[in-house]
């Protein structure tokens, strides 16, 4: 295709995403997630156009909320209930799943588990499961791009499900405006475990399964968390992290939990914390993108193949070490 016609095709594609056409948005996300070099080049053009369009048309930034917690705590169930609540308030809702641990777990944690049967049939809801596992530059970089595409498509709230197993929370907390952590009804010992690991990232704390057979335990957990709430320090000065009991099945506490999110955002906006966080996200994204382009260059630099082969030979014959070979190769790319 000639350059002009490529440009027109991309422009048309962006128009239809902006009009909220689900198929165009889905195709764009698939492109962003592709590991094929040709696709990545097209994805870059598409994303560049999408970001320029977002700036030009002054879209209202989408509220981005991360929802995390241990496996089986009820993240998907909570998102479904919250999503339905948000639709009733007039929001357009997008659900993404991020599994930064995918390389370790093989990506099976989230997989196709986010069914969300009610939400998925709603016209104003868009649900996208876990990104493909081999996204070049990492899922974080891809998720940032996908969030911008969803923003262009007019979604006013993006909910990101991520499984919390102790190390992932930071990566997702850095990408969102508000981080909600779900807790299991459980013993004091388990709470100690949670506290050490992830409580520091939480802007809103929830105890799920406040119903039926688990209600009593959930209430105890809530009390136990509340009694130690002074130990939870938050980087927003004078902000007391709310601790709320919810039942995603019976849909109790859902609207209260959303009020807690909006209250946090209001407070964060009023003292410039929100703006600061968005700037930090841009900085982080810039870093990720630079790494991504660097990797892309590394993999596509055909002129370096003879040198690579020579270094490999020298390495295999024991003339140079693997470290020397890798450094020499990197240096040669930098000098080109
Ligand atoms: N009683 C009760 N069960 C719940 C509630 N929320 C979720 N569950 C149940 O808990 C189980 C796990 O729910 P999910 O929503 O899939 O949990 P998840 O945290 O998304 O799970 P993973 O994505 O596998 O980490 C399911 O059997 C749900 O029906 C709740 O509020 N009350
Ligand atoms: Mg889930």
């Amino acid at each position: 295709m000639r350059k002009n016609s490529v440009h027109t095709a991309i422009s048309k594609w962006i128009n239809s995403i902006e009009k909220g056409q689900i198929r165009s948005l889905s195709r764009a996300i698939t492109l962003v997630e592709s590991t094929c070099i040709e696709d990545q080049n097209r994805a870059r053009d598409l994303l560049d156009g999408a970001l320029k369009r977002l700036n030009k048309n002054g879209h209202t930034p989408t509220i981005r909320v991360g929802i995390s917690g241990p496996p089986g705590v009820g993240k998907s169930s909570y998102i479904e209930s919250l999503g339905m609540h948000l639709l009733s308030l007039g929001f357009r809702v997008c659900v993404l799943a991020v599994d930064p641990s995918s390389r370790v777990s093989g990506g099976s944690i989230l997989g196709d588990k986010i069914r969300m049967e009610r939400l998925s049939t709603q016209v104003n809801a868009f649900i996208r499961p876990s990104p493909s596992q081999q996204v070049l530059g990492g899922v974080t970089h891809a998720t940032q791009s996908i969030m911008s595409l969803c923003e262009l498509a007019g979604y006013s709230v993006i909910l990101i499900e991520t499984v919390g197993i102790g190390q992932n929370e930071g990566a997702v907390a850095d990408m969102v405006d508000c981080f909600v952590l779900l807790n299991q009804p459980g013993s004091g010992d388990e709470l100690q475990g949670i506290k050490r690991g992830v409580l520091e990232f939480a802007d809103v704390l929830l105890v799920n399964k406040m119903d039926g057979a688990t209600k009593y335990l959930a209430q105890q957990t809530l009390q136990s968390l509340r009694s130690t709430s002074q130990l939870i320090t938050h980087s927003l000065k004078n902000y007391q992290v709310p601790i709320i009991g919810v039942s995603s099945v019976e849909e109790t506490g859902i609207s209260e939990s959303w009020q807690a999110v909006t209250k946090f955002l209001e407070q964060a906006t009023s003292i410039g914390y929100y703006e600061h966080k968005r700037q930090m996200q841009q900085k982080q994204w810039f870093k990720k993108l630079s790494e991504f382009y660097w990797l892309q260059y590394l993999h596509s630099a055909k002129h370096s193949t003879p040198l690579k082969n020579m270094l490999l030979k020298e390495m295999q014959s024991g003339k140079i070490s693997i470290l020397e070979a890798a450094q020499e190769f990197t240096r040669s790319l930098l000098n080109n």
Side-chain angles (χ1 to χ4, degrees):
M1 241 195 275
R2 297 230 316 276
K3 212 174 172 185
N4 265 352
S5 53
V6 172
H7 188 76
T8 315
I10 295 257
S11 197
K12 272 191 185 160
W13 196 346
I14 291 171
N15 287 345
S16 61
I17 295 173
E18 201 174 18
K19 280 186 196 141
Q21 309 240 341
I22 298 279
R23 248 176 65 87
S24 306
L25 175 64
S26 295
R27 273 178 52 227
I29 294 177
T30 305
L31 192 71
V32 166
E33 289 174 356
S34 169
T35 52
C36 155
I37 292 277
E38 247 175 53
D39 284 349
Q40 283 162 17
N41 290 337
R42 281 175 70 219
R44 191 188 51 215
D45 290 346
L46 181 75
L47 196 64
D48 194 45
L51 291 175
K52 283 178 181 147
R53 187 73 66 86
L54 272 173
N55 277 337
K56 193 173 138 212
N57 294 356
H59 281 253
T60 318
T62 306
I63 302 171
R64 301 168 177 186
V65 183
I67 289 147
S68 190
V73 68
K75 298 175 291 295
S76 303
S77 311
Y78 172 70
I79 288 174
E80 169 140 273
S81 295
L82 178 65
M84 294 302 290
H85 175 65
L86 293 175
L87 291 179
S88 77
L89 297 178
F91 288 102
R92 293 189 70 219
V93 181
C94 169
V95 179
L96 305 174
V98 174
D99 183 2
S101 69
S102 54
R103 246 167 295 167
V104 183
S105 70
S108 59
I109 293 183
L110 289 165
D112 59 1
K113 278 195 206 160
I114 55 163
R115 285 180 292 269
M116 300 178 192
E117 276 148 24
R118 280 183 301 151
L119 201 57
S120 58
T121 59
Q122 306 295 315
V123 277
N124 284 322
F126 174 72
I127 300 174
R128 180 82 183 189
S130 204
S132 61
Q133 307 312 324
Q134 298 303 323
V135 179
L136 194 60
V139 280
T140 317
H141 144 70
T143 306
Q144 290 279 16
S145 306
I146 293 165
M147 287 197 293
S148 296
L149 291 170
C150 294
E151 200 160 303
L152 183 68
Y155 290 97
S156 40
V157 178
I158 300 178
L159 303 173
I160 303 184
E161 173 172 349
T162 186
V163 76
I165 51 167
Q167 319 111 323
N168 306 329
E169 290 81 3
V172 172
D174 279 349
M175 288 193 289
V176 295
D177 305 319
C178 181
F179 190 70
V180 177
L181 186 67
L182 263 75
N183 294 277
Q184 287 274 24
S187 71
D189 285 357
E190 285 164 38
L191 282 182
Q192 287 306 321
I194 300 169
K195 261 179 232 139
R196 273 199 303 274
V198 298
L199 284 190
E200 62 181 289
F201 296 115
D203 301 314
V204 173
L205 273 175
L206 304 180
V207 177
N208 192 32
K209 307 193 184 180
M210 194 68 79
D211 57 63
T214 46
K215 191 169 185 174
Y216 180 68
L217 202 54
Q219 271 165 346
Q220 278 191 324
T221 309
L222 192 69
Q223 269 167 16
S224 165
L225 266 176
R226 281 183 177 155
S227 69
T228 55
S229 63
Q230 72 280 4
L231 298 176
I232 307 168
T233 50
H234 193 279
S235 44
L236 183 62
K237 222 174 157 211
N238 298 328
Y239 177 71
Q240 183 70 51
V241 177
I243 305 167
I244 300 164
V246 298
S247 164
S248 304
V249 170
E250 292 185 352
E251 303 199 344
T252 53
I254 306 295
S255 77
E256 201 184 345
S257 70
W258 180 247
Q259 277 164 17
V261 170
T262 50
K263 201 166 159 208
F264 166 72
L265 291 175
E266 273 164 26
Q267 207 168 325
T269 308
S270 71
I271 61 149
Y273 178 81
Y274 173 80
E275 192 54 37
H276 167 75
K277 209 169 172 192
R278 282 270 162 138
Q279 277 169 8
M280 293 303 287
Q281 286 165 5
Q282 288 281 320
K283 212 167 139 185
Q284 187 71 9
W285 194 13
F286 168 77
K287 188 170 162 259
K288 290 278 168 200
L289 267 178
S290 304
E291 287 167 2
F292 169 69
Y293 288 137
W294 173 237
L295 274 179
Q296 209 181 32
Y297 176 59
L298 185 74
H299 290 302
S300 63
K302 294 209 169 44
H303 62 272
S304 62
T305 308
L307 176 69
K308 195 196 288 176
N309 291 340
M310 188 193 85
L311 288 168
L312 277 173
K313 244 189 210 158
E314 290 192 355
M315 191 186 91
Q316 278 151 4
S317 66
K319 247 182 171 174
I320 55 172
S321 74
I322 189 164
L323 294 176
E324 283 168 331
Q327 276 185 9
E328 171 73 34
F329 182 62
T330 313
R331 240 181 260 127
S332 87
L333 282 180
L334 283 171
N335 293 335
N336 261 292

